[in-house]
Amino acid sequence: MRLRSLFTALLVALCVVAELWLPAQAQDAPKPAGMETKAGQAYLIEASTGTVLLAKNERQSFAPASLAKLMTLEIVFRALNAGEVRPDTTYPVSEFAWRTGGAPSRTSTMFAALKSQVPVADLVKGIAVQTANDGCLIVAEGMAGSEAKFVERMNARAAELGLKDSHFGNATGLPHPDNRSTLVDLVKLAQHLQSAYPELYKTFSLPEFEWNKILQRNRNPLLSIGADGLGTGFADGSGFAIVASVERNGRRLFLGLGGLATDKERTEEATRLINWGFDGFEMRQLFKQGEVIGQASVYGGAQSSVSLVAKTPVEVYVPVNNPERLQARIVYRWPLRPPVSAGAEIAQLNLLSGDRPLLSVPLQSAASVDVGTLRQRAVDALIELLFFWL
């Protein structure tokens, strides 16, 4: 049996968070130069890597207002993809939908006429382009029989998608005590809409939509700078909010902002942060696909450790100015016991710039590790016992 170093075992046991030396080109990876924002909440990420460029109160709960319509559209998009409904399926305009979200409501509306029939394809356009409250209610009643039943679907689906801090009280986002979300959840939902329903997602970028002989422009203020989605919201006490996505030269950013004082301030801050995200950052590869990133100790195994690799290249989107060393930490649950299968996810690589989390990447075992001999297991058991005693 290969001699196992007690000192090394104890060191690893005491430190299941392992610091890594990054490649030379990554050691000088920069950080943002004190980027500030007027927004009460902010969350900006690069899509392909998930790198967090800016985070401020991103998990703070707030009333999403019309941004709740993103969840409404997710239910409709999914139903369309599954064939549950068709674009030409029509639903009636009830008096409730007309009074609560239509012309009499004096809220954002597509002006659907009372007792008329509206195709699902046009309801989707009304919701995505005009944030139509009547459109949300018409489709909710049509698909589920009532808004309450539709909201049950919204909350069940939100849980499936991992929107842990979101709950919806209605399909419109109109004031309701049960409406709450966070920018992390809303940006995650936006990413899902863009990746899962690429054709339907294009509806968000339509410049205008006409219904009932009334033409309305798209309410997204960032279309002029290349945004192709998603929506805006306003609620008393929460201020003005936006969730948007922009793609330039093959690179996509998702932005969420909340707690802004005015519509104008929301547009200005969103534009400034999107431009900063594209102009001030660059992509860097830290590890190649399959490259050994670190080791995890295996207790009682035929081998004392196993190499850790990433399934895909590890890339990070970093600022181009004001360099600061990137930190990489491998985290795994200790003690790691055999058998360990090759390709099993057993660790996490966390990348930070200073104290700012950038990215988390799952790590896999590069090889399998079988259960060790009786002597190997006895030695490791003694080391584990000594560690806990210390």
Side-chain angles (χ1 to χ4, degrees), residues 54 64 69 73 89 95 112 119 143 167 187 222 233 260 280 326 372 377:
L54 178 66
K69 294 179 174 73
L73 284 172
T89 301
E95 183 166 350
M143 287 182 60
H167 189 81
V187 167
L222 300 188
L260 289 155
L326 280 183
R377 283 179 283 155

Side-chain angles (χ1 to χ4, degrees), residues 83-107:
E84 177 186 344
V85 299
R86 301 189 323 181
D88 60 355
T89 301
T90 61
Y91 292 133
V93 182
S94 69
E95 183 166 350
F96 172 73
W98 179 69
R99 290 193 180 278
T100 306
S105 70
R106 298 184 181 276
T107 63

Side-chain angles (χ1 to χ4, degrees), residues 11-67:
L11 180 63
V12 174
L14 287 167
C15 189
V16 294
V17 178
E19 297 279 356
L20 298 181
W21 290 100
L22 292 178
Q25 74 271 17
Q27 291 180 2
D28 294 328
K31 69 171 183 178
M35 175 55 66
E36 301 290 341
T37 176
K38 297 177 182 177
Q41 303 94 37
Y43 191 54
L44 177 64
I45 67 170
E46 193 278 325
S48 67
T49 63
T51 304
V52 178
L53 312 186
L54 178 66
K56 176 184 179 183
N57 299 324
E58 70 278 14
R59 298 187 184 276
Q60 180 177 305
S61 182
F62 70 100
S66 282
L67 291 173

Side-chain angles (χ1 to χ4, degrees), residues 71 74-75 78 149-163 166-168:
M71 193 70 238
E74 201 286 333
I75 301 299
R78 191 179 187 217
K149 289 292 186 182
F150 188 84
V151 169
E152 289 179 8
R153 290 184 63 171
M154 291 172 64
N155 286 317
R157 183 61 175 154
E160 290 177 4
L161 293 174
L163 309 184
S166 295
H167 189 81
F168 303 97

